[in-house]
Amino acid sequence: MPIRDLTTLEDFRRVVQLEKTIWGYTGESDDVVGVPILVVTVKRGGILLGAFDERDDLIGFVYSLPAIRHGRPSQWSHMLGVLPGVRDAGLGTRLKFAQRNRALAMGIDLIEWTFDPLQALNAHLNFVKLGVIVREYEKNIYGDSPSPLHRGAPTDRFVAEWWLRRPHVERRVAPYADVTPRASEVFDAPQINTTRWSGEWLACVDQELERPEPRLFVEIPANFGDMLRQRPDVASEWRVKTRQIFTTYFTRGYRAVEFFFDRGAKTGRYLLARDER
C-alpha cells in the first residue's frame, strides 16, 4: 500500500469523499474539510498524505496544518482516516510514521492532535505505537458532532503531544520495537476508579480524586463506541466521571504517559505519572 503526498485538486476531492465515507457525514456538514482549505494549507506548509491500494484507490489519509506552540513552529494533525476494511493492517501507524518523516524534514519536532480518551483503540495507537503524552483535557471542544460515530456525547478530547525526536518516541518508531514497561512500580500503581460489569457493559462506579502516589491507573471500557449507540446512559456516566478524573489530576501536575489495552478483558488502562518538574 504505497503512501504519497496529495497535491492536486483531484486528490483533494478524493479526500473529501473519504471523509464522508469514514465519518458518515451527510449533506453539507460543517465538519468536512473542503477542497479550498486543503488547497491553502498544503500550499503553505500543511502535510497531506494518502495511502492507496493496488487499484490506486485512496483508502486512507493523514492531514495536518501548520501551527505555533510556545512561539515555535509545529503541526496540528486534524484528521487521520482509514477505511474500515483495512484498519487492521497497520495503515494508520504507517501514515503517522510518514507524517513524522515529513515533519522532521521541515525542521518540526512536535505534532499535536486531539482524540477521545474513551476510545481504547485510538489510545493504543497513540500511546503504544507512537509514544504520545497527554497533559491537556478539552471539554466538548468541537461541540455537537454530526458524525454517527460521535453523536450523542460531548466531544471531550485529550490533546496528544508527539515529540518526534525524543527517545521514547524513537524507540517506538524503530523496527521491531519492544516498548513494554517492565518496572514493578508501574504495575504496582493503584487504580483510582472503581468499575463493575453489568451484563456486557463495564460501568464506572466511583473514583478517587486525591490519591498522592506518583503513578496511578485509570480504567476505561474497550467498547465505548458500541456503548454510546446502545447504552448512552452508561456512556454518559463514563464521560462525566472520567472528565472529572482527568481534569483533576492534570491540574495537579499529572500527565498520561502510557496505555495498556487488554483485548481479552475488554478494558484499557491509562497510566498517569506526576510530572516532577
Side-chain angles (χ1 to χ4, degrees):
M1 298 177 184
I3 294 173
R4 64 171 175 82
D5 293 282
L6 303 179
T7 59
T8 69
L9 287 174
E10 180 56 31
D11 287 338
F12 302 150
R13 294 188 187 103
R14 295 166 82 178
V15 168
V16 171
Q17 185 56 53
L18 208 58
E19 292 179 56
K20 295 177 180 179
T21 300
I22 292 171
W23 285 283
Y25 298 131
T26 58
E28 297 300 321
S29 170
D30 291 340
D31 284 32
V32 173
V33 178
V35 170
I37 300 300
L38 296 175
V39 169
V40 171
T41 50
V42 167
K43 285 186 175 295
R44 288 297 180 267
I47 298 171
L48 181 58
L49 300 168
F52 295 83
D53 64 12
E54 63 278 359
R55 297 172 301 183
D56 203 39
D57 290 333
L58 184 66
I59 56 175
F61 73 98
V62 64
Y63 168 61
S64 61
L65 304 84
I68 299 293
R69 171 72 183 264
H70 299 318
R72 298 180 59 185
S74 63
Q75 288 273 313
W76 183 272
S77 191
H78 182 57
M79 291 186 293
L80 170 66
V82 176
L83 287 175
V86 292
R87 285 179 185 164
D88 293 334
L91 190 54
T93 303
R94 287 186 57 210
L95 282 164
K96 293 301 291 185
F97 286 1
Q99 183 188 44
R100 176 179 182 266
N101 290 338
R102 292 292 189 280
L104 288 172
M106 297 164 61
I108 301 294
D109 60 8
L110 171 64
I111 302 177
E112 297 179 282
W113 61 89
T114 62
F115 72 97
D116 188 336
L118 288 173
Q119 295 289 350
L121 284 174
N122 285 349
H124 178 73
L125 166 65
N126 291 330
F127 283 90
V128 179
K129 301 289 186 65
L130 304 180
V132 307
I133 62 167
V134 171
R135 47 190 152 195
E136 293 181 59
Y137 186 103
E138 294 287 346
K139 302 176 184 177
N140 200 29
I141 186 172
Y142 302 116
D144 295 335
S145 172
S147 169
L149 300 179
H150 308 135
R151 190 178 296 139
T155 51
D156 287 24
R157 298 291 184 265
F158 274 168
V159 178
E161 301 175 21
W162 197 22
W163 292 94
L164 307 180
R165 300 181 189 274
R166 292 190 179 174
H168 73 277
V169 172
E170 293 182 338
R171 285 196 298 270
R172 282 165 168 79
V173 303
Y176 313 111
D178 179 8
V179 293
T180 304
R182 293 181 173 84
S184 60
E185 63 266 23
V186 169
F187 298 106
D188 291 341
Q191 183 172 306
I192 57 178
N193 62 329
T194 305
T195 63
R196 182 176 61 236
W197 285 96
S198 178
E200 64 178 303
W201 306 109
L202 184 69
C204 187
V205 179
D206 201 2
Q207 71 269 13
E208 300 178 81
L209 300 178
E210 297 182 358
R211 295 295 298 244
E213 291 87 348
R215 296 178 182 84
L216 303 165
F217 278 116
V218 182
E219 188 173 50
I220 66 166
N223 59 346
F224 183 72
D226 293 335
M227 183 187 293
L228 191 58
R229 290 184 290 273
Q230 300 177 43
R231 286 297 304 271
D233 56 326
V234 180
S236 177
E237 191 68 15
W238 270 106
R239 182 67 83 203
V240 169
K241 284 189 166 65
T242 53
R243 174 191 284 182
Q244 190 174 21
I245 289 170
F246 291 124
T247 55
T248 298
Y249 280 95
F250 287 172
T251 299
R252 290 178 53 200
Y254 288 80
R255 56 183 181 168
V257 297
E258 190 56 87
F259 186 75
F260 300 87
F261 190 27
D262 190 333
R263 295 176 187 270
K266 299 180 180 179
T267 63
R269 293 200 300 169
Y270 286 104
L271 177 65
L272 305 186
R274 190 167 56 225
D275 190 345
E276 301 298 342
R277 293 176 299 175

